[in-house]
Every structure is written in structure tokens, then in C-alpha cells.
Amino acid sequence: MTTEVRVRYAPSPTGHLHIGNARTALFNYLFARNLGGKFIIRIEDTDVKRNVAGGEENQLTYLKWLGINWDESIDVGGGYGPYRQTERLDLYREYWQELLDKGLAYRCYCTEEELEQEREEQQARGETPRYSGRHRNLTAEQQAAFEAEGRVASIRFRVPEGRSYTFDDMVKGAITFDTAEMGDFVIVKKDGIPTYNFAVVLDDHLMKISHVLRGEDHISNTPRQLMIYEAFGWEPPVFAHMTLIVNESRKKLSKRDESIIQFIEQYDDLGYLPEAMFNFIALLGWSPEGEQEMFTREELVNAFDADRLSKSPAVFDTQKLSWMNNEYIKKADLERIVDLCLPHLKKAGCIPDALDGEGREWVTALVALHQDKLRCASDIVPVTELFFREEVADEEEATAVLAEEQVPAVLSAFLGLLESDAAEFSADGIKDMIKTVQKDTGHKGKALFMPIRAAITGQTHGPDLNQSIVLLGKPKVLARLKERLG
């Protein structure tokens, strides 16, 4: 095995970048960067029927969005290409022929119907279904007869009998498999396309991959891969199988689970910050020393230690993600958050598609007023809806406040000052007018502020009252106060 640390993320272009795959890529990236190694992206596209248009581009686009970069791949090249499996078929052919020549693999002419019947019979006997080896020792004449029938062969690996395979997993410890439980497995399908377990071994060996960090759903693949390494006399890489990501009910994260948003593109669309997503995903199944939870990318690179990969399932805590993203939004540049909020306000019909300078200035002030409360940029629509509706919808607490006896006096005094232009219609001017109302009516504190807020917004809690009044605009504020006073 090479002494240089070389790891890979090898997605299939069968869909958009999923949170679980993003974690695999991120952990490989952190592992490589921490140890000064190389991070490679290889596209495993041999399952042609499942590949989707744009799947490859989506993977790379959203890895870059997260802040992950790589040293070798289809877009940057490298010395171990091609980095797309369908461009490596001639290479694979050379190696499967070597196994055939050595008798370590053989051609199997079984039809799907025959194999299905075999599985059904085994299940009926209470046995674990596996290939029986019925074509393991065909003569040349038998092979010729099958080919004369028009049958096309797959190629199966000859699983050694009476053997056990053990590997020392970086997360799970020693894991052992017995070959008695396995049937000879297909390494090349009838269409001449190698299967995952065969191609991945060749790619990892030829690309000098030193460590394989992947999900624990791949553990069952590992013994088959170890057999292929052994057949060629190659040293396998070091394996680390990361625990599952589960939802808050401790159930395996399924793509059908609608309680959790699962694709990175969706988080981008909702206005999550990539650095927050990077930070959150890094803590899904890995923990640093100490209690710190907020990290820059550089801090995570420096802190990452594979020995601290969790042995327990990682819980996808949606509330923690919302909290973390809010923390990043609060610290972010205002103009950046405005740019993230604008598409959501436009989509909701709150603002026109084309904004002039004054319109942009108003939206900037609106976002600044609510930035600290945003869990993601799309929250800007529900949290600011009172600024865009004509009618005031009173909350229950607001209705109770407006029924207090001092309310008419407070609202009348405030309305009079607004109509008389007692002060500039600005946050400071509104503040001065409210102070004047306090002097004129003798009401202060909640008895003063609550009626004004409730009358104008229908709420008893919210962002800065003075700035809110300015953003609502003088005509709307005057109309609402007059309506309250009848």
C-alpha cells in the first residue's frame, strides 16, 4: 500500500447530492487535508440504467458549494485517470481475463429464471439464498452448447471454500466473514459491464487509494472485495465504515423520510449558508475534543481525527441545524443575507422582480431588522408578512392589550403627533414622538409601547418598534391607527 494518504469519494450519478453522501465526501476530505494527503473524486457510472441527466454535475456543484475541493477528478484531471468508470472498461477487461485464465473466475450461463427458481427453492428449505455454483465447473463442450443456444455468460468470482476473511475496521474494530455463507458472485454482467465489487477494487488499487472511508452499509461488500485483492496479490486499503445517520426517532435516514430535508441543493434553495452546513455535517458521526460546536473549515481540518468517528448512529437533529445556521446568519455580512432573501421575497410576490435603488434600500433595512431571527433565508417571508399585507390580523395577546383602558388616549396622542409632523418620520423621530406621548399621557413601559405595537402590527412582540413603523410607511401607519380609533 502507498505511504501517501489517498482517499476518494466515488458517487454514482443516479441523483442529487444526498446528505449522507455529502458526509462521506466531507469526512474523506477532512481526513486527507488533515494528513496532507490527496482527495480524489471518481464517478462510478456503470449502472447506466440508473444514471440521471445532471446527476454528475449536481454532485460536483454542491460539493463545491459546501466548500469541498479535490485534487483529482474528471474536471481537474490527475495521474490516475480516467476518473469515470465507463471510460475504464478496456482496463477492467484485462483484469477479468486474468482471473479467467487463472481459474479464479468462470463463465456462468444461468438465466434469470433459473437463478430465481434456485432462490425460491432455497428459501422454501429455510436456507439463505446464494448461488449454488451449478456452472462452476463447466467443460468446454458444455460452454459451447450454451453459447449455441444463444445464452450470454456473466462472469463469476470463484469464492474460496472453507475460508474466513478478517479486516480491522477503523471504526468497528475486527470484523470476520466466513465464505461458507457466500456464493460465487458476479464480477461482470452479461452486458460486459463490471459489477461494483470488482470495479471498485481495481480502481482503488490502480489509483493507489490508501484508506476507504464509507458508510457501514458497505460492510457486507468488504469480504468480496478482499477476495479480489487476494486473487491479484494486492494489499487492500485500510477500511473505516461510518455509522448510519438516523432521524430523531432513531430510524435509519430514508430518502422517503419527509421529516428531514435530505438533499444539499434543497438547503441551498432554502437559503442555508454552506459554511453552516459544512460545520453541521462534520459533526454527524464525528466529535472533536472539548465542547466546541462552531468551527471554521480550517479548524475542522486541523481537528479531524478518524479515531473519534462515532461507533453509534448519528442523529440528524433538525433543531440543531436551524440553531447553527442562525448563528452563522447573525454573523454574516448583511448584503450577503439580503441577496439570499431577495429571491424568496420575489417568489412570494412581496416585492417586484426589478428593484430600484430605493427598493433595494428598503429591503436591506427590512432584512437587517430580522437578520438575527432567520433560521434560513426563506424565513424572511413568514417573519415579515405583516409588512406586506393590507389588513392587520390581531394575535390573541394583541386583542387583550387593545382592550385596556389607556389605549385610546395613547393611540390618539401618537396619531396626532404623526399627523402634525412633530418629528421626522425616522427611527429616531418615532422614538422622540413616543417619548412625547409618555409625557402627555403619563403612560409608560408596556402600557405605552404595547398598544402602539398591537394597533399597528397586530402583535405584542417583534423587532424594533421604531424601525418597524418606519418600514411600514407613514400612510399605512396612519390608516391603521385611524381604523383602531374608529
Side-chain angles (χ1 to χ4, degrees):
M1 185 175 67
T2 178
T3 54
E4 181 187 34
V5 169
R6 289 176 58 83
V7 297
R8 47 73 171 177
Y9 167 60
S12 298
T14 54
H16 293 182
L17 181 60
H18 185 262
I19 198 85
N21 293 333
R23 182 189 69 163
T24 297
L26 194 149
F27 281 2
N28 276 280
Y29 166 82
L30 291 175
F31 184 80
R33 294 290 177 261
N34 176 268
L35 297 173
K38 294 291 196 301
F39 174 52
I40 296 99
I41 292 184
R42 182 175 71 229
I43 304 297
E44 297 188 343
D45 61 343
T46 54
D47 194 350
V48 178
K49 292 179 181 178
R50 294 184 60 228
N51 293 345
V52 300
E56 188 177 283
E57 292 80 3
N58 188 276
Q59 292 276 335
L60 299 183
T61 295
Y62 281 96
L63 289 174
K64 289 176 184 175
W65 179 82
L66 280 169
I68 296 174
N69 53 48
W70 45 90
D71 303 291
E72 301 171 26
S73 189
I74 57 173
D75 57 337
V76 297
Y80 299 89
Y83 292 92
R84 190 181 283 112
Q85 283 189 332
T86 51
E87 297 172 5
R88 298 170 66 83
L89 296 179
D90 288 342
L91 181 153
Y92 300 138
R93 189 172 294 110
E94 170 190 341
Y95 285 95
W96 81 58
Q97 187 58 53
E98 180 180 335
L99 293 182
L100 287 170
D101 293 343
K102 290 180 177 178
L104 298 175
Y106 61 91
R107 300 186 189 280
C108 172
Y109 295 87
C110 292
T111 65
E112 287 302 318
E113 292 75 18
E114 289 170 339
L115 293 171
E116 180 59 31
Q117 182 181 353
E118 185 173 272
R119 283 192 290 269
E120 290 176 357
E121 291 173 352
Q122 289 171 337
Q123 287 175 325
R125 296 193 297 268
E127 300 171 1
T128 301
R130 65 188 182 95
Y131 178 63
S132 64
R134 61 198 293 177
H135 286 182
R136 210 170 201 250
N137 299 300
L138 293 178
T139 63
E141 291 76 13
Q142 288 172 316
Q143 290 190 42
F146 281 131
E147 289 175 6
E149 288 179 27
R151 293 199 188 196
V152 178
S154 60
I155 299 175
R156 289 184 181 271
F157 184 81
R158 197 182 295 274
V159 173
E161 297 179 4
R163 289 281 306 279
S164 63
Y165 286 82
T166 299
F167 64 97
D168 190 16
D169 190 273
M170 292 171 68
V171 178
K172 306 287 185 179
I175 300 176
T176 300
F177 288 87
D178 194 321
T179 61
E181 301 170 4
M182 302 178 204
D184 296 342
F185 56 93
V186 174
I187 58 172
V188 184
K189 294 175 284 188
K190 293 178 187 292
D191 60 4
I193 302 293
T195 59
Y196 166 75
N197 280 318
F198 183 65
V200 74
V201 169
L202 299 184
D203 291 341
D204 284 348
H205 173 74
L206 296 174
M207 292 182 182
K208 300 188 184 301
I209 300 302
S210 63
H211 298 75
V212 172
L213 282 69
R214 58 189 181 186
E216 66 177 22
D217 52 325
H218 281 286
I219 288 177
S220 60
N221 290 319
T222 310
R224 292 174 175 82
Q225 293 168 17
L226 291 174
M227 292 176 205
I228 295 171
Y229 277 108
E230 181 183 69
F232 287 113
W234 299 335
E235 184 179 354
V238 177
F239 292 100
H241 288 93
M242 298 170 287
T243 56
L244 297 173
I245 301 175
V246 297
N247 63 22
E248 290 168 33
S249 300
R250 302 301 193 273
K251 293 182 179 178
K252 179 182 176 182
L253 200 60
S254 161
K255 291 180 181 179
R256 294 182 295 276
D257 184 350
E258 296 181 357
S259 68
I260 292 174
I261 299 167
Q262 300 198 28
F263 294 95
I264 301 301
E265 182 175 1
Q266 293 172 292
Y267 287 101
D268 180 26
D269 290 343
L270 288 168
Y272 282 77
L273 300 184
E275 58 268 37
M277 293 301 300
F278 189 105
N279 192 158
F280 177 76
I281 294 170
L283 301 178
L284 283 176
W286 175 81
S287 59
E289 294 184 9
E291 300 299 318
Q292 183 179 345
E293 291 189 294
M294 302 285 287
F295 295 88
T296 65
R297 180 173 59 169
E298 292 71 23
E299 286 172 335
L300 285 165
V301 166
N302 292 332
F304 191 80
D305 180 354
D307 289 342
R308 297 189 65 82
L309 287 169
S310 176
K311 293 175 172 55
S312 303
V315 178
F316 193 102
D317 186 338
T318 54
Q319 290 186 333
K320 181 176 180 179
L321 174 56
S322 293
W323 165 80
M324 185 172 284
N325 199 56
N326 173 252
E327 290 295 312
Y328 276 90
I329 285 177
K330 286 192 288 190
K331 296 179 176 70
D333 178 72
L334 173 60
E335 288 300 323
R336 181 186 179 196
I337 304 305
V338 171
D339 287 338
L340 288 175
C341 289
L342 280 171
H344 298 284
L345 291 169
K346 290 176 181 178
K347 184 178 179 181
C350 298
I351 58 174
D353 288 338
L355 279 181
D356 57 18
E358 187 177 338
R360 169 85 187 200
E361 188 177 333
W362 184 86
V363 171
T364 299
L366 181 74
V367 173
L369 191 62
H370 296 87
Q371 183 172 354
D372 284 359
K373 296 291 185 289
L374 298 177
R375 297 167 304 168
C376 58
S378 61
D379 277 356
I380 196 67
V381 174
V383 302
T384 62
E385 53 93 20
L386 73 90
F387 292 91
F388 301 102
R389 66 177 183 227
E390 292 304 318
E391 302 297 324
V392 180
D394 291 343
E395 294 177 350
E396 188 175 336
E397 289 182 13
T399 301
V401 167
L402 292 170
E404 294 172 2
E405 61 179 357
Q406 85 282 9
V407 170
V410 169
L411 296 187
S412 294
F414 187 54
L415 174 61
L417 291 170
L418 281 172
E419 289 183 316
S420 67
D421 295 323
E424 183 184 46
F425 193 76
S426 64
D428 287 340
I430 299 297
K431 183 179 179 180
D432 289 341
M433 281 190 263
I434 293 176
K435 283 183 179 178
T436 301
V437 172
Q438 178 180 330
K439 290 177 184 176
D440 292 347
T441 65
H443 297 295
K444 59 184 179 179
K446 287 185 178 182
L448 171 66
F449 293 104
M450 283 291 197
I452 295 174
R453 182 184 291 277
I456 294 171
T457 69
Q459 302 171 356
T460 55
H461 301 283
D464 180 78
L465 177 59
N466 304 326
Q467 186 63 28
S468 295
I469 291 172
V470 172
L471 286 171
L472 279 165
K474 191 170 185 178
K476 188 176 286 189
V477 172
L478 287 172
R480 292 181 178 182
L481 287 172
K482 290 175 181 178
E483 184 178 349
R484 296 293 189 183
L485 290 166

